[in-house]
Amino acid sequence: MQTVKDTVNYVSDSVKEATSTASKEANKEVAKDSNASLGTRATAAKDAVSDKMDESKHNASAEVNKQKAQN
C-alpha cells in the first residue's frame, strides 16, 4: 500500500513540477517583454524566481517519492 501512495505522490509532484516550469517560462517571457510596463515586468521576474524555487522543491520531492516507490 505504501508503494502505491509513494507512486501517487511521485506523479503528483511531477505534475506540480511541470506546472511550475510552464509558469516560470511564461513569467520569463513577460519579464523580457519590452512592451510591458516596468511594474509588470518586475512582478513577472519575481514570480519566475518563485516558480523556479517551487520547481526545484517539487523535483526533489518527486525524486524522494520515486526512490521510495522503487524500494
Side-chain angles (χ1 to χ4, degrees):
M1 183 67 181
Q2 187 62 39
T3 300
V4 172
K5 184 177 179 180
D6 293 332
T7 301
V8 168
N9 288 338
Y10 166 71
V11 171
S12 175
D13 286 331
S14 294
V15 169
K16 290 175 185 176
E17 178 187 4
T19 301
S20 294
T21 300
S23 180
K24 176 189 74 176
E25 292 303 321
N27 281 316
K28 282 172 49 177
E29 290 304 313
V30 172
K32 293 179 196 176
D33 184 1
S34 61
N35 292 323
S37 71
L38 183 59
T40 298
R41 293 175 68 185
T43 299
K46 177 190 69 73
D47 290 346
V49 170
S50 177
D51 289 336
K52 177 61 179 172
M53 291 186 328
D54 287 344
E55 177 185 35
S56 297
K57 177 182 73 174
H58 294 307
N59 177 272
S61 180
E63 190 58 37
V64 168
N65 285 310
K66 179 181 175 182
Q67 293 299 321
K68 287 172 35 178
Q70 290 177 343
N71 293 327

